[in-house]
Amino acid sequence: MAVHLRSEPVWVRWTLIGMALAFLGLFIFLPLSMVFITGLNKGIAVYFKSINNPDALSAIRLTLITALVAVPLNLIFGVAASWAIAKFDFYGKSFLTTLIDLPLSVSPVISGLIYVLMFGAQGPFGTWLRDHGIKIIFAPPAIILATIFVTFPMVARELIPVMKAQGNDEEEAALTLGASGFQTFWRVTLPNIKWGLLYGVILCNARAMGEFGAVSVVSGHIRGQTNTLPLHIEILYNEYNFTAAFAAASLLAMLALVTLFAKSLVEYRYRAELKAALRLENHG
Amino acid sequence: MSIEVKNIIKTFGTFKALENIDLKIETGELIALLGPSGSGKTTLLRIIAGLETADQGDIIFHGKDVKDAQTKDRNVGFVFQHYALFRHMTVFENIAFGLRVKPKDVRPTEEQIKAKVTELLKLVQLDWVANRYPSQLSGGQRQRIALARALAIEPKVLLLDEPFGSLDAKVRKELRQWLRRFHDDLHITTLFVTHDQEEALEVADRVVVMNKGRIEQVGTPENVYHNPANVFVLNFLGNVNLFHGRTEEGSADATTKKIYVRPHELTVTRQPVSARSIKAKISFINPAGSVVRIDAVASDGQSVQAEISQEEYKSLKLQRNEEICLTPKNIT
């Protein structure tokens, strides 16, 4: 009897589960599968042809380069910033914390526009850059800059809570044992934050490859030169080239699936490790 | 190695953590820094280790000023209150850490490291936990591993921050005696921080009583207990004589000057025995323990505590709400 009293009636449970499933199906599974269906509806040959053409390949290459530059830079920045914020007290710390979150609250259009205003022909650096033959706006450097800006908080936000929770004790212990600052970081801090760090990098990478708004503003949309994958998809779609657009979109969708898989794998590994430690503790 | 602390001043914002601290510790001494929380004892320990910088003053190790030396170069063994073991390393690797981070030219070989770690594990009587992780150890075991790790670098000074603070009473007592024996064997200059009077008095060669960033008294346990320098020391150490109960000083205002008397220094009788005797009414009796603790209210309304032996208690047949007379012993 007690069991029945504690849980909801069967029909309530199934209605709730059904609603959740219907919602997921309608808003996530159906659109996602439409990407693949539309991409493949003219056959596998057309699908591969739309991916394997110079413009698409150039977009893929630029996307990869952008991520390859932005992610490591944000990794370094994220670790440094969260180290400073979590382990030290200094003047202006809360301001820095707010600043790190800024890109999340600013519209991506603004994130792109600030670089156009700064490095564009009318900007303070515009003339100097033109005189020295350096192209930033409407070229890959601006795309990378905008991507870094947008993905700025990803790693730091994952690490700050982890580092705060762990405190300074182990680092101080390492110092008293004669370790240098670098040895302390490499042997003590990094192993303790590795899962949080990996998690942050995965999210950062997904955002870097998928970013549309900020990149769109600074890119100039030059086909085969300054188009990233998301921009390439938009152009194809605007040209009513649905099959090619969705074929390229399927790549991004697959990236999302891989990210999701990697994310759960990291979470799973992390939990398994914790569980093993706890289990041994109970039996030991 | 001797340690000299000279005129150390440390402030956190407007809070004065340490004010003009002077202290000299001889080679091989076991010193307790005793004081209530916020008295600056941990800050002083951290300044000696180099984990904190003093605003002013000098720290001298064996005649050499180490004020500007980094923590890693001071060669101090530090045991943290919450152990601070490396959670991602086994016990073996924790202890080996200090050896592995040594510069290449002085780093021991793998066999030497193994021998040293095994020796240290034997020393702390935990050689069977080498392959476990810190999370798989009990509090007392973690504490001993933390000590073994600190000893691996063969420090000239051992600093312990509330070493038994987060252990339960029984383990704490065992480890306390163990630390004393351990120090007697190794003779490393050792400083430990504690807020537990009994711990300080039982273990240390000398006790440094601190309060509000100042040193109130330095002396042997016997000295600080029997000849407290001031009311604070008397009050703070008073609790310890009644370990099996609780205690505060009884104040006998029979003469014009104030006299502080510890509970066991009061005689309990039915009738006044001298001019100093004061009348009081028993408000509570706790006969459970090696001595009987009596709470009473003196005729002037002040509460007084006394301790008498079980035999005395039986022969007096004291009851709650009875009138008794309290007389300080040995007042000169």
Side-chain angles (χ1 to χ4, degrees), chain A residues 69 72 108 115 223 232 245 247 269:
Chain A
V69 178
Y115 289 101
R223 235 180 244 218
H232 180 67
R269 277 291 313 266

Side-chain angles (χ1 to χ4, degrees), chain B residues 33-65:
Chain B
L33 294 177
L34 174 67
S37 52
S39 60
K41 52 195 193 306
T42 296
T43 307
L44 179 58
L45 198 74
R46 290 172 61 86
I47 287 174
I48 295 173
L51 292 171
E52 210 91 60
T53 1
D55 302 339
Q56 256 184 60
D58 295 316
I59 301 286
I60 293 155
F61 282 4
H62 217 83
K64 212 178 118 202
D65 195 335

